[in-house]
Amino acid sequence: MELRQLRYFVRIVELGSMSRAALDLDLVQSALSQQISRLEGELSARLLQRSSRGVVATEAGMAFLHEAQLTLRHADQAVRVTRQARLSGTVSVGLAPTTAAMLDLPLMRAMRERYPDVRLHLVEGLSGHLTTMLSARTLDMAILFDRRPPGPGSRLAQERPLMDEDIFLICTRARPEKIPATLTLADVAHEPLILPTGTHGLRHTLDAALARAGVRPNVVLEVDSLSMLMAAVDAGIGSTLQPRAAVGRFPDAGQRFQWARIDDSEVRRSNILCSLSEEELSSAAIATKMVIRDCVQTLVENGSWSGVTSRYHDS
């Protein structure tokens, strides 16, 4: 059970409507319904029922409502007391270009709102480079891809997985033919592909998946800069295989590009928040980890980060 589930439930009862609550909470209604179903499953009780007047609390729901409101008041008071301590210091966070395209501004805004005295230092780089910086202790934390658990004696702590990203074939919308909503790896065998080099984590994942499928890709260009890679795709030089976040910095992405999800359960990219060990992190850094998790969860739940499955509850 989580505080946000309590807030969702209370707001639904207050508004008497699942759809109005979803709009008020800036959530997709299906995501809100899923959270309430999860809450009812944990409590083994039906909390809400539909009626001619909308959604109303059951008898068990009314009993739970009063306790939930009390819990939320106590939680809000705890937050106010904690924030009065005014955490300060500098926290360094590493993000890959595709991750930064979706997460950088929400993270900046959330940190400024919650912890205005914490100076956030963001570094954008390839996952391998960020791993090196983390090992050298020039970063406090980084979101890394498909990271293996640290070896014995490592002082790096692997955190909970954040999410899994689907991979899409992305091409210019100017090409004559339209592509379907989903494709298989075999379907992209003859596509002129623009990919990062073999040292890139995503390229390693793609090469392994293509080999399993018996597909030899038609790689026409290798680029290790997301901005240059997407500029080449935009110009019609070729297509690429990337998560949907690759078009995150294009406000008019729908007019520039078209994309198709690769329908293969093994062609996905795992995102994991890794950091220095807890004893090495400052209180500000520990707070930043929670803000990152909250930002990712919000972006996934409100539909802003599409093509993503949250793994927030996996561990």
PDB file of all heavy atoms in Angstrom, residues 72-92:
ATOM      1  N   LEU A  72      -3.053  10.548   5.507  1.00  0.00           N
ATOM      2  CA  LEU A  72      -2.531  11.553   4.586  1.00  0.00           C
ATOM      3  C   LEU A  72      -2.212  12.855   5.308  1.00  0.00           C
ATOM      4  O   LEU A  72      -1.213  13.518   4.987  1.00  0.00           O
ATOM      5  CB  LEU A  72      -3.533  11.799   3.458  1.00  0.00           C
ATOM      6  CG  LEU A  72      -3.702  10.643   2.460  1.00  0.00           C
ATOM      7  CD1 LEU A  72      -4.837  10.931   1.499  1.00  0.00           C
ATOM      8  CD2 LEU A  72      -2.399  10.404   1.696  1.00  0.00           C
ATOM      9  N   ARG A  73      -3.034  13.230   6.287  1.00  0.00           N
ATOM     10  CA  ARG A  73      -2.735  14.436   7.063  1.00  0.00           C
ATOM     11  C   ARG A  73      -1.431  14.272   7.823  1.00  0.00           C
ATOM     12  O   ARG A  73      -0.603  15.185   7.879  1.00  0.00           O
ATOM     13  CB  ARG A  73      -3.888  14.753   8.029  1.00  0.00           C
ATOM     14  CG  ARG A  73      -5.104  15.379   7.350  1.00  0.00           C
ATOM     15  CD  ARG A  73      -6.016  16.043   8.373  1.00  0.00           C
ATOM     16  NE  ARG A  73      -6.601  15.080   9.298  1.00  0.00           N
ATOM     17  CZ  ARG A  73      -7.731  14.433   9.087  1.00  0.00           C
ATOM     18  NH1 ARG A  73      -8.409  14.638   7.966  1.00  0.00           N
ATOM     19  NH2 ARG A  73      -8.205  13.593   9.980  1.00  0.00           N
ATOM     20  N   HIS A  74      -1.233  13.106   8.410  1.00  0.00           N
ATOM     21  CA  HIS A  74       0.019  12.848   9.142  1.00  0.00           C
ATOM     22  C   HIS A  74       1.211  12.853   8.184  1.00  0.00           C
ATOM     23  O   HIS A  74       2.289  13.371   8.519  1.00  0.00           O
ATOM     24  CB  HIS A  74      -0.064  11.505   9.864  1.00  0.00           C
ATOM     25  CG  HIS A  74      -0.968  11.518  11.049  1.00  0.00           C
ATOM     26  ND1 HIS A  74      -1.437  10.373  11.662  1.00  0.00           N
ATOM     27  CD2 HIS A  74      -1.521  12.547  11.750  1.00  0.00           C
ATOM     28  CE1 HIS A  74      -2.216  10.696  12.676  1.00  0.00           C
ATOM     29  NE2 HIS A  74      -2.278  12.003  12.748  1.00  0.00           N
ATOM     30  N   ALA A  75       1.030  12.257   7.000  1.00  0.00           N
ATOM     31  CA  ALA A  75       2.111  12.217   6.022  1.00  0.00           C
ATOM     32  C   ALA A  75       2.468  13.623   5.541  1.00  0.00           C
ATOM     33  O   ALA A  75       3.647  13.970   5.408  1.00  0.00           O
ATOM     34  CB  ALA A  75       1.719  11.337   4.841  1.00  0.00           C
ATOM     35  N   ASP A  76       1.451  14.447   5.286  1.00  0.00           N
ATOM     36  CA  ASP A  76       1.713  15.821   4.852  1.00  0.00           C
ATOM     37  C   ASP A  76       2.447  16.604   5.934  1.00  0.00           C
ATOM     38  O   ASP A  76       3.342  17.414   5.632  1.00  0.00           O
ATOM     39  CB  ASP A  76       0.391  16.516   4.507  1.00  0.00           C
ATOM     40  CG  ASP A  76      -0.230  15.974   3.230  1.00  0.00           C
ATOM     41  OD1 ASP A  76       0.499  15.342   2.437  1.00  0.00           O
ATOM     42  OD2 ASP A  76      -1.453  16.169   3.039  1.00  0.00           O
ATOM     43  N   GLN A  77       2.074  16.369   7.192  1.00  0.00           N
ATOM     44  CA  GLN A  77       2.754  17.037   8.286  1.00  0.00           C
ATOM     45  C   GLN A  77       4.211  16.592   8.361  1.00  0.00           C
ATOM     46  O   GLN A  77       5.117  17.412   8.577  1.00  0.00           O
ATOM     47  CB  GLN A  77       2.042  16.747   9.615  1.00  0.00           C
ATOM     48  CG  GLN A  77       2.750  17.305  10.852  1.00  0.00           C
ATOM     49  CD  GLN A  77       2.826  18.821  10.850  1.00  0.00           C
ATOM     50  OE1 GLN A  77       2.095  19.489  10.116  1.00  0.00           O
ATOM     51  NE2 GLN A  77       3.725  19.368  11.659  1.00  0.00           N
ATOM     52  N   ALA A  78       4.453  15.304   8.147  1.00  0.00           N
ATOM     53  CA  ALA A  78       5.825  14.795   8.163  1.00  0.00           C
ATOM     54  C   ALA A  78       6.653  15.428   7.054  1.00  0.00           C
ATOM     55  O   ALA A  78       7.826  15.767   7.248  1.00  0.00           O
ATOM     56  CB  ALA A  78       5.820  13.270   8.019  1.00  0.00           C
ATOM     57  N   VAL A  79       6.033  15.603   5.876  1.00  0.00           N
ATOM     58  CA  VAL A  79       6.730  16.244   4.760  1.00  0.00           C
ATOM     59  C   VAL A  79       7.074  17.688   5.097  1.00  0.00           C
ATOM     60  O   VAL A  79       8.194  18.154   4.842  1.00  0.00           O
ATOM     61  CB  VAL A  79       5.870  16.173   3.478  1.00  0.00           C
ATOM     62  CG1 VAL A  79       6.472  17.049   2.382  1.00  0.00           C
ATOM     63  CG2 VAL A  79       5.761  14.741   2.992  1.00  0.00           C
ATOM     64  N   ARG A  80       6.112  18.400   5.686  1.00  0.00           N
ATOM     65  CA  ARG A  80       6.369  19.797   6.036  1.00  0.00           C
ATOM     66  C   ARG A  80       7.506  19.916   7.044  1.00  0.00           C
ATOM     67  O   ARG A  80       8.392  20.775   6.912  1.00  0.00           O
ATOM     68  CB  ARG A  80       5.092  20.439   6.603  1.00  0.00           C
ATOM     69  CG  ARG A  80       4.036  20.757   5.552  1.00  0.00           C
ATOM     70  CD  ARG A  80       2.947  21.643   6.127  1.00  0.00           C
ATOM     71  NE  ARG A  80       2.171  20.953   7.161  1.00  0.00           N
ATOM     72  CZ  ARG A  80       1.094  20.234   6.915  1.00  0.00           C
ATOM     73  NH1 ARG A  80       0.656  20.096   5.664  1.00  0.00           N
ATOM     74  NH2 ARG A  80       0.430  19.661   7.889  1.00  0.00           N
ATOM     75  N   VAL A  81       7.508  19.060   8.037  1.00  0.00           N
ATOM     76  CA  VAL A  81       8.572  19.099   9.048  1.00  0.00           C
ATOM     77  C   VAL A  81       9.925  18.783   8.417  1.00  0.00           C
ATOM     78  O   VAL A  81      10.927  19.440   8.709  1.00  0.00           O
ATOM     79  CB  VAL A  81       8.257  18.100  10.187  1.00  0.00           C
ATOM     80  CG1 VAL A  81       9.454  17.953  11.112  1.00  0.00           C
ATOM     81  CG2 VAL A  81       7.036  18.560  10.977  1.00  0.00           C
ATOM     82  N   THR A  82       9.927  17.787   7.541  1.00  0.00           N
ATOM     83  CA  THR A  82      11.184  17.397   6.896  1.00  0.00           C
ATOM     84  C   THR A  82      11.720  18.510   6.012  1.00  0.00           C
ATOM     85  O   THR A  82      12.919  18.812   6.014  1.00  0.00           O
ATOM     86  CB  THR A  82      10.979  16.119   6.052  1.00  0.00           C
ATOM     87  OG1 THR A  82      10.515  15.071   6.899  1.00  0.00           O
ATOM     88  CG2 THR A  82      12.283  15.697   5.398  1.00  0.00           C
ATOM     89  N   ARG A  83      10.827  19.135   5.237  1.00  0.00           N
ATOM     90  CA  ARG A  83      11.281  20.182   4.326  1.00  0.00           C
ATOM     91  C   ARG A  83      11.770  21.413   5.056  1.00  0.00           C
ATOM     92  O   ARG A  83      12.568  22.191   4.519  1.00  0.00           O
ATOM     93  CB  ARG A  83      10.150  20.545   3.359  1.00  0.00           C
ATOM     94  CG  ARG A  83       9.909  19.457   2.327  1.00  0.00           C
ATOM     95  CD  ARG A  83       8.788  19.809   1.382  1.00  0.00           C
ATOM     96  NE  ARG A  83       8.605  18.764   0.381  1.00  0.00           N
ATOM     97  CZ  ARG A  83       7.625  18.726  -0.490  1.00  0.00           C
ATOM     98  NH1 ARG A  83       6.711  19.689  -0.496  1.00  0.00           N
ATOM     99  NH2 ARG A  83       7.530  17.742  -1.368  1.00  0.00           N
ATOM    100  N   GLN A  84      11.307  21.598   6.289  1.00  0.00           N
ATOM    101  CA  GLN A  84      11.788  22.722   7.071  1.00  0.00           C
ATOM    102  C   GLN A  84      13.261  22.569   7.410  1.00  0.00           C
ATOM    103  O   GLN A  84      13.938  23.534   7.736  1.00  0.00           O
ATOM    104  CB  GLN A  84      10.963  22.878   8.354  1.00  0.00           C
ATOM    105  CG  GLN A  84       9.557  23.412   8.100  1.00  0.00           C
ATOM    106  CD  GLN A  84       8.693  23.421   9.342  1.00  0.00           C
ATOM    107  OE1 GLN A  84       9.126  22.976  10.404  1.00  0.00           O
ATOM    108  NE2 GLN A  84       7.472  23.915   9.216  1.00  0.00           N
ATOM    109  N   ALA A  85      13.758  21.322   7.330  1.00  0.00           N
ATOM    110  CA  ALA A  85      15.175  21.089   7.583  1.00  0.00           C
ATOM    111  C   ALA A  85      16.031  21.641   6.452  1.00  0.00           C
ATOM    112  O   ALA A  85      17.240  21.802   6.597  1.00  0.00           O
ATOM    113  CB  ALA A  85      15.446  19.591   7.747  1.00  0.00           C
ATOM    114  N   ARG A  86      15.404  21.900   5.274  1.00  0.00           N
ATOM    115  CA  ARG A  86      16.054  22.526   4.141  1.00  0.00           C
ATOM    116  C   ARG A  86      17.327  21.784   3.751  1.00  0.00           C
ATOM    117  O   ARG A  86      18.448  22.232   3.976  1.00  0.00           O
ATOM    118  CB  ARG A  86      16.383  23.986   4.440  1.00  0.00           C
ATOM    119  CG  ARG A  86      15.203  24.822   4.860  1.00  0.00           C
ATOM    120  CD  ARG A  86      14.266  25.098   3.727  1.00  0.00           C
ATOM    121  NE  ARG A  86      14.811  26.017   2.750  1.00  0.00           N
ATOM    122  CZ  ARG A  86      14.114  26.499   1.730  1.00  0.00           C
ATOM    123  NH1 ARG A  86      12.866  26.105   1.545  1.00  0.00           N
ATOM    124  NH2 ARG A  86      14.667  27.335   0.889  1.00  0.00           N
ATOM    125  N   LEU A  87      17.143  20.622   3.144  1.00  0.00           N
ATOM    126  CA  LEU A  87      18.281  19.876   2.627  1.00  0.00           C
ATOM    127  C   LEU A  87      19.074  20.752   1.674  1.00  0.00           C
ATOM    128  O   LEU A  87      18.521  21.541   0.911  1.00  0.00           O
ATOM    129  CB  LEU A  87      17.807  18.623   1.879  1.00  0.00           C
ATOM    130  CG  LEU A  87      17.297  17.451   2.717  1.00  0.00           C
ATOM    131  CD1 LEU A  87      16.832  16.337   1.801  1.00  0.00           C
ATOM    132  CD2 LEU A  87      18.385  16.946   3.646  1.00  0.00           C
ATOM    133  N   SER A  88      20.394  20.608   1.702  1.00  0.00           N
ATOM    134  CA  SER A  88      21.249  21.403   0.828  1.00  0.00           C
ATOM    135  C   SER A  88      22.408  20.543   0.358  1.00  0.00           C
ATOM    136  O   SER A  88      22.592  19.408   0.806  1.00  0.00           O
ATOM    137  CB  SER A  88      21.764  22.651   1.560  1.00  0.00           C
ATOM    138  OG  SER A  88      22.558  22.277   2.684  1.00  0.00           O
ATOM    139  N   GLY A  89      23.188  21.096  -0.553  1.00  0.00           N
ATOM    140  CA  GLY A  89      24.338  20.378  -1.091  1.00  0.00           C
ATOM    141  C   GLY A  89      24.202  20.207  -2.601  1.00  0.00           C
ATOM    142  O   GLY A  89      23.266  20.708  -3.226  1.00  0.00           O
ATOM    143  N   THR A  90      25.137  19.493  -3.188  1.00  0.00           N
ATOM    144  CA  THR A  90      25.146  19.234  -4.626  1.00  0.00           C
ATOM    145  C   THR A  90      24.980  17.743  -4.878  1.00  0.00           C
ATOM    146  O   THR A  90      25.615  16.921  -4.214  1.00  0.00           O
ATOM    147  CB  THR A  90      26.454  19.715  -5.270  1.00  0.00           C
ATOM    148  OG1 THR A  90      26.593  21.135  -5.072  1.00  0.00           O
ATOM    149  CG2 THR A  90      26.479  19.421  -6.763  1.00  0.00           C
ATOM    150  N   VAL A  91      24.130  17.391  -5.821  1.00  0.00           N
ATOM    151  CA  VAL A  91      23.891  15.995  -6.184  1.00  0.00           C
ATOM    152  C   VAL A  91      24.100  15.860  -7.691  1.00  0.00           C
ATOM    153  O   VAL A  91      23.512  16.606  -8.476  1.00  0.00           O
ATOM    154  CB  VAL A  91      22.461  15.540  -5.820  1.00  0.00           C
ATOM    155  CG1 VAL A  91      22.257  14.076  -6.207  1.00  0.00           C
ATOM    156  CG2 VAL A  91      22.194  15.743  -4.337  1.00  0.00           C
ATOM    157  N   SER A  92      24.950  14.909  -8.088  1.00  0.00           N
ATOM    158  CA  SER A  92      25.257  14.712  -9.507  1.00  0.00           C
ATOM    159  C   SER A  92      24.546  13.464 -10.024  1.00  0.00           C
ATOM    160  O   SER A  92      24.622  12.399  -9.424  1.00  0.00           O
ATOM    161  CB  SER A  92      26.761  14.594  -9.715  1.00  0.00           C
ATOM    162  OG  SER A  92      27.310  13.591  -8.896  1.00  0.00           O
TER     163      SER A  92
END
